[in-house]
């Protein structure tokens, strides 16, 4: 019985050491990617563009909007935001605007008069109340 207890205790210690190593490796990878020109998100939800990294004092100058620069601690970096590829495939770009109008050109020949439109809208409005 004691052997099983010692074995479980050993497995628990190994799992804790493994998790610690993974966490440390992830932190080192994040620090290596952190450089001026990178977009990041902080732990408190602040998105910005890195302007300067001070390794000695563990500070980052972060531009949160044009001309507004804040200074945050380097450990507050939650993740590095990867740039999105927003390029559209060639076949999805229409050659004309017919796909953008959504069938507006296919209206009935029987157009409403102004009075009929006002009456219809008033009737619809009364249904909502």
């Amino acid at each position: 019985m004691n052997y099983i207890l010692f074995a479980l205790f050993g497995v628990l210690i190994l799992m804790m050491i493994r998790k610690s190593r993974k966490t440390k490796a992830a932190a080192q990878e994040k620090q290596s990617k952190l450089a001026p020109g990178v977009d990041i998100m902080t732990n408190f939800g602040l998105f910005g563009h890195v302007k300067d990294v001070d390794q000695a004092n563990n500070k980052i100058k972060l531009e949160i909007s044009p001309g507004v620069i804040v200074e945050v601690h380097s450990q507050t970096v939650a993740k590095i935001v990867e740039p999105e590829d927003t390029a559209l495939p060639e076949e999805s770009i229409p050659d004309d605007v017919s796909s953008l109008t959504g069938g507006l050109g296919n209206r009935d020949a029987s157009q409403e008069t102004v009075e009929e439109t006002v009456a219809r809208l008033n009737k619809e409005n009364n249904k909502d109340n």
Side-chain angles (χ1 to χ4, degrees), residues 2 8 12 14-15 30-31 51 58 60 62 64 71 75 79 88 91 104 109-110 119 125-126:
N2 285 338
L8 288 176
L12 179 67
L14 289 175
M15 296 295 263
K30 192 185 317 179
Q31 288 294 330
K51 286 295 183 185
N58 290 329
I60 298 172
L62 189 65
I64 55 175
E71 200 168 305
Q75 289 181 347
K79 69 177 183 176
L88 294 174
E91 61 271 358
L104 293 177
S110 60
N125 189 25
N126 289 337

Side-chain angles (χ1 to χ4, degrees), residues 85-96 99:
D85 185 22
T86 59
L88 294 174
E90 285 295 322
E91 61 271 358
S92 69
I93 300 173
D95 291 335
D96 59 356
S99 64

Side-chain angles (χ1 to χ4, degrees), residues 102-113 116 120:
L104 293 177
N106 299 337
R107 289 190 149 178
D108 293 332
S110 60
Q111 295 288 328
E112 288 182 333
T113 63
E116 291 172 343
R120 180 180 50 84

Side-chain angles (χ1 to χ4, degrees), residues 49-106:
H49 189 73
V50 176
K51 286 295 183 185
D52 187 34
V53 179
D54 185 7
Q55 294 289 343
N57 296 326
N58 290 329
K59 293 183 180 180
I60 298 172
K61 289 188 179 179
L62 189 65
E63 184 176 30
I64 55 175
S65 68
V68 179
I69 297 176
V70 295
E71 200 168 305
V72 295
H73 196 275
S74 63
Q75 289 181 347
T76 62
V77 176
K79 69 177 183 176
I80 295 176
V81 180
E82 300 295 329
E84 296 178 3
D85 185 22
T86 59
L88 294 174
E90 285 295 322
E91 61 271 358
S92 69
I93 300 173
D95 291 335
D96 59 356
V97 294
S98 63
S99 64
L100 302 176
T101 57
L104 293 177
N106 299 337

